[in-house]
Amino acid sequence: MELIINNLSKTYDNGVEALKNVTLEIPKGMFGLLGPNGAGKSTLMRTIATLQDADEGSILLDDLNVQTHKHPVRRMLGYLPQQFGLYPKMSAELLLNHFAVLKGITNKLERKQIIEALLHKTNLYDVRKRNLGGFSGGMKQRFGIAQALLNNPKLLIVDEPTAGLDPKERNRFYNLLSAIAEDTIVIFSTHIVDDIKELCTKMAIINRGEVVLQGNPLELIEQFNGKIYQKSIKRSELESYKKLYNVINDKLFLGKPIIQIISEENPRNGFVPVDPSLEDVYFSQINN
């Protein structure tokens, strides 16, 4: 199974061009969509999820046109949006049962078996009777995945799923998504570079509505070998360095400002070469 997006464009009524000729081929497995807030990620996810229409372009799930055959697509789709509401006074088990009925799982015994299996899979079985209002952020995200998996989807879309999670919950979420991706197309949209580095063998970077880079994360990193340099500077020197060099990142290390630049040749002047990272690849694209 493969998702093919071809020349997808979307402009909102206020004139914002959210998507500009986006073209992607997404195979089975974990695909990372990386970009800053406002880059167009959520617009693309909502369009793939049949929640809004594009102005131009096409989306094919195998031979199925996503934009003209929405109901068949929805039967194969699982979706965890960036923000989703829960009924705080309902238990996880009861709300999953409600969602399962809405998704057409009408056989009571089948529904019970599916729900129990998903509660185990998302490590929520022991708290299945607890009201959702008492769930932590990570537990709510795992519940979101459980409801997205009720119909055994062929395509799973998760939009910014790890934002706000502590490291333990994030790792648990990584493991869950990785297991799901063995048999499913999983599109993982995020602005957190570590999410992509940990999970995805294929990725794309989107910025200002355009896909600016795509490929295998390790191969993209290799393209920057011998081109990344860094130097500790004074904060007051930052603007002057930005005029002289292609500065892709500035950060603090032990309280001291450090800049990183891309250069085809050794810039000398106190710069030292460093091994490239996926973060360097990301910043090289969004800071242009």
Side-chain angles (χ1 to χ4, degrees), residues 65-278:
N65 188 316
V66 171
Q67 294 174 283
T68 59
H69 295 78
K70 294 181 180 180
H71 290 296
V73 169
R74 288 168 183 167
R75 286 196 290 267
M76 297 190 289
L77 173 72
Y79 181 44
L80 176 59
Q82 184 174 353
Q83 295 180 341
F84 62 98
L86 296 173
Y87 295 98
K89 294 184 179 180
M90 290 183 71
S91 70
E93 186 178 50
L94 187 59
L95 189 53
L96 277 180
N97 185 75
H98 176 67
F99 285 148
V101 172
L102 293 178
K103 291 192 176 188
I105 307 172
T106 55
N107 183 283
K108 187 174 181 180
L109 178 60
E110 179 190 6
R111 197 164 62 239
K112 183 176 184 294
Q113 292 172 340
I114 290 172
I115 290 169
E116 285 188 358
L118 285 173
L119 287 168
H120 281 294
K121 190 170 190 175
T122 53
N123 198 29
L124 292 174
Y125 187 79
D126 290 343
V127 293
R128 66 192 184 281
K129 303 292 186 183
R130 185 187 302 180
N131 284 351
L132 291 160
F135 275 23
S136 68
M139 292 163 70
K140 289 177 181 177
Q141 290 295 76
R142 282 185 276 130
F143 177 86
I145 284 291
Q147 64 80 25
L149 295 177
L150 278 167
N151 58 335
N152 192 26
K154 302 298 182 183
L155 170 62
L156 176 65
I157 299 170
V158 289
D159 193 0
E160 299 283 358
T162 64
L165 300 188
D166 63 41
K168 184 177 180 180
E169 283 286 8
R170 181 171 293 173
N171 285 334
R172 183 177 288 161
F173 203 77
Y174 287 161
N175 292 333
L176 176 60
L177 287 180
S178 181
I180 294 167
E182 292 181 3
D183 302 305
T184 308
I185 298 173
V186 179
I187 304 177
F188 188 106
S189 171
T190 183
H191 68 280
I192 302 172
V193 177
D194 282 345
D195 287 346
I196 304 298
K197 181 174 64 178
E198 295 287 342
L199 285 173
C200 303
T201 56
K202 293 191 177 182
M203 63 169 288
I205 297 174
I206 186 171
N207 191 34
R208 300 187 183 97
E210 297 181 275
V211 173
V212 294
L213 193 68
Q214 58 181 304
N216 176 280
L218 293 179
E219 292 175 357
L220 294 176
I221 291 170
E222 287 176 1
Q223 294 177 15
F224 286 78
N225 281 338
K227 298 179 182 179
I228 306 296
Y229 298 84
Q230 73 178 28
K231 179 181 179 180
S232 179
I233 64 169
K234 296 178 181 178
R235 176 56 61 182
S236 59
E237 298 175 319
L238 179 58
E239 291 306 316
S240 62
Y241 273 93
K242 284 184 176 181
K243 293 177 182 178
L244 294 171
Y245 301 97
N246 184 5
V247 177
I248 60 170
N249 193 17
D250 63 278
K251 56 187 177 181
L252 294 176
F253 180 70
L254 298 178
K256 296 182 179 179
I258 287 179
I259 59 171
Q260 289 184 312
I261 68 170
I262 294 180
S263 178
E264 294 291 336
E265 300 178 353
N266 191 327
R268 306 187 191 285
N269 190 24
F271 282 96
V272 295
V274 293
D275 291 333
S277 66
L278 191 58

Side-chain angles (χ1 to χ4, degrees), residues 48-73:
I48 298 171
T50 75
L51 298 178
Q52 65 181 30
D53 293 323
D55 299 328
E56 298 177 3
S58 63
I59 310 172
L60 295 177
L61 183 58
D62 278 351
D63 296 326
L64 197 61
N65 188 316
V66 171
Q67 294 174 283
T68 59
H69 295 78
K70 294 181 180 180
H71 290 296
V73 169

